Amino acid sequence: MKQEKSCGAVLFRGGCNRTYLILHSTRGHHTLCKGHVESDETEHETAVREIGEETGLRVEFIDGFREVITYSLSPDRVKDVVFFLAKALDGPVICQPDEVADASFLPLEQALERLTHTSDREVLSKADRFLQGG
């Protein structure tokens, strides 16, 4: 069985009134920022590279949050997606035109409604609870 791996992050801005970054993929779905691991990259290195490529943002990771989603791409391919939690630093979002049609920072409820996949909604909910201290 072929194993694939991607890494990314739940990106947020703000303190009490946090907003979360949701990407509108050129493939039509709404998702969190993530991408494939390349060569000898660590998980964090992949996340930093993918965030930079897809959004142009610089981030600060929040220690202690790591969630993994595993799903089957086909009968012979399984994929792990590792998500971290990161605060987006000031600066505009610059979408990578090949992969990202649009990107928006949204309040939690709107972000949850916008996401296409249940697994992404679960990761976002866990990240929000983590930031609230629970």
Side-chain angles (χ1 to χ4, degrees):
M1 182 163 305
K2 184 175 179 186
Q3 185 78 27
E4 294 185 23
K5 187 174 187 178
S6 289
C7 299
V10 175
L11 301 176
F12 71 96
R13 282 190 169 152
C16 295
N17 297 317
R18 279 185 297 278
T19 57
Y20 295 95
L21 185 65
I22 305 301
L23 305 182
H24 183 198
S25 167
T26 55
R27 296 180 181 160
H29 57 276
H30 290 86
T31 187
L32 301 170
C33 191
K34 63 186 178 297
H36 289 82
V37 174
E38 293 182 0
S39 62
D40 295 339
E41 287 180 323
T42 67
E43 291 176 347
H44 273 102
E45 288 169 343
T46 299
V48 167
R49 179 182 51 75
E50 286 293 335
I51 292 163
E53 288 176 0
E54 293 183 356
T55 70
L57 293 171
R58 293 180 307 111
V59 299
E60 290 178 354
F61 287 99
I62 307 300
D63 290 337
F65 186 89
R66 182 182 182 274
E67 286 293 319
V68 181
I69 297 170
T70 301
Y71 57 93
S72 180
L73 296 167
S74 66
D76 63 339
R77 285 176 48 209
V78 173
K79 184 171 187 174
D80 288 333
V81 182
V82 177
F83 286 102
F84 298 104
L85 179 58
K87 183 171 187 171
L89 303 178
D90 290 339
V93 176
I94 301 168
C95 297
Q96 180 185 30
D98 292 346
E99 294 185 29
V100 182
D102 190 29
S104 302
F105 276 96
L106 301 170
L108 178 63
E109 291 306 317
Q110 289 179 27
L112 290 169
E113 288 173 12
R114 182 83 50 99
L115 287 167
T116 302
H117 300 292
T118 301
S119 57
D120 285 349
R121 288 191 291 275
E122 291 170 354
V123 169
L124 176 55
S125 294
K126 287 180 181 180
D128 187 70
R129 284 193 301 274
F130 183 88
L131 287 170
Q132 291 179 32

